[in-house]
Amino acid sequence: MIPAMPASVAAARPRQVSSAVLRLGRVAAMGSVAVLILIAGVWASWGTAQHVVLTKGRERGTVEVTRCADGSCSGPYAPVSAGSQARGRVVIEDSVAVSKGRTYAVVVKPGGDEVVRSGPAGVLFAWVPMGGALLLASVVVAGGLRRTRVAWGMAGAGVALLTAAFFAV
């Protein structure tokens, strides 16, 4: 302690430092959690989205769903893009986005007979996990980082993505 400094000022100094260190730790931990959630959302979405978003050079066509069982649907594939070949049976994941008796625009996954929906509905449906990640990360950003405006923006983007996917499918 400096002789000219009052004792109350010297005692307050360590408390301010420890408070700043705790604040920095909270921001680092919650920021890491929020980034991890967003990376997981992109990772979960990219498995399907890469085929739908990056369609150049991929086989595109339509599938008429004739049979659904065991979590997948199948039907004949009619090509639309140049270089694509017709197939008697392709498999598409049975989800909310697919129903028996309807025809869908699809993209063939390389190296097999598995297809994913394309077009606006397919793109939005592929990014649904990212919409959920945005909603979850917004809670972390609001509570842990105390950045409410950023959190509201993230939540709004997540809700908009999920709502658009719901109405497109």
Side-chain angles (χ1 to χ4, degrees), residues 5-77:
M5 185 182 294
S8 62
V9 173
R13 204 78 166 147
R15 194 171 299 150
Q16 289 174 344
V17 171
S18 64
S19 176
V21 168
L22 286 175
R23 194 175 321 116
L24 180 65
R26 184 197 69 211
V27 168
M30 291 297 109
S32 298
V33 169
V35 167
L36 185 63
I37 290 169
L38 293 174
I39 289 171
V42 170
W43 186 273
S45 296
W46 190 245
T48 302
Q50 66 178 328
H51 303 293
V52 180
V53 174
L54 306 173
T55 60
K56 187 174 182 178
R58 299 193 192 269
E59 294 184 69
R60 288 173 285 152
T62 60
V63 62
E64 182 182 348
V65 177
T66 57
R67 184 177 175 289
C68 289
D70 300 327
S72 64
C73 293
S74 61
Y77 171 79

